[in-house]
Amino acid sequence: MKKTFIAVACMALFASCSTIRTSSVSALDVSSEVESVNQADMEISQRKISYTYVPTKQDRKTGLRNVINNAVTEALKENGNADVMVHANYDAIMKRKGKVKKVTITGYPAKYTNFKVNNK
């Protein structure tokens, strides 16, 4: 009986010493504007594209915003190496733990052309 009591007391002592620690980091969106006196035209494709991106395990850890940015980059590379996506929409499918399973991007790829330098 005495050995059982000592064993239970030791187990309770060790179990009460465990610590669970959680922390979270959030990034604030900082609005920044860049002004330029230079001008360029934009050629927007008439063809709407759709691209499904399945992130790697490493990408999933970076969060939804970064996964969407990577998906847009891959979609533009695969569809004529365009510069920007116009009227981009995304549809994200998430796992239970909040990690991104896949993202589908739709929009119109566009390229900048005819750069003009304005001297003021």
Side-chain angles (χ1 to χ4, degrees):
M1 182 74 174
K2 189 175 184 182
K3 288 182 182 180
T4 306
F5 177 72
I6 292 174
V8 170
C10 287
M11 288 174 54
L13 181 67
F14 289 121
S16 66
C17 292
S18 64
T19 304
I20 297 174
R21 203 171 187 179
T22 61
S23 63
S24 64
V25 177
S26 62
L28 299 174
D29 287 333
V30 178
S31 63
S32 61
E33 294 182 21
V34 176
E35 219 173 289
S36 176
V37 294
N38 299 329
Q39 294 180 350
D41 296 330
M42 184 183 289
E43 289 181 7
I44 302 172
S45 174
Q46 297 297 318
R47 183 178 56 92
K48 189 173 191 175
I49 63 168
S50 180
Y51 182 81
T52 300
Y53 179 74
V54 179
T56 62
K57 188 175 182 181
Q58 191 68 25
D59 278 344
R60 288 187 182 117
K61 294 178 183 178
T62 62
L64 179 61
R65 178 58 41 206
N66 287 331
V67 171
I68 290 170
N69 290 341
N70 291 343
V72 170
T73 301
E74 291 298 319
L76 292 174
K77 282 182 187 177
E78 195 165 293
N79 289 283
N81 205 21
D83 296 319
V84 294
M85 180 83 73
V86 177
H87 193 60
N89 293 313
Y90 69 92
D91 181 30
I93 297 176
M94 309 292 279
K95 289 185 176 184
R96 278 187 243 171
K97 295 183 179 181
K99 295 193 177 171
V100 183
K101 186 173 181 181
K102 67 180 177 177
V103 174
T104 301
I105 301 288
T106 57
Y108 297 91
K111 289 186 179 185
Y112 292 115
T113 60
N114 300 329
F115 289 94
K116 300 169 197 133
V117 178
N118 291 334
N119 296 324
K120 284 191 174 182

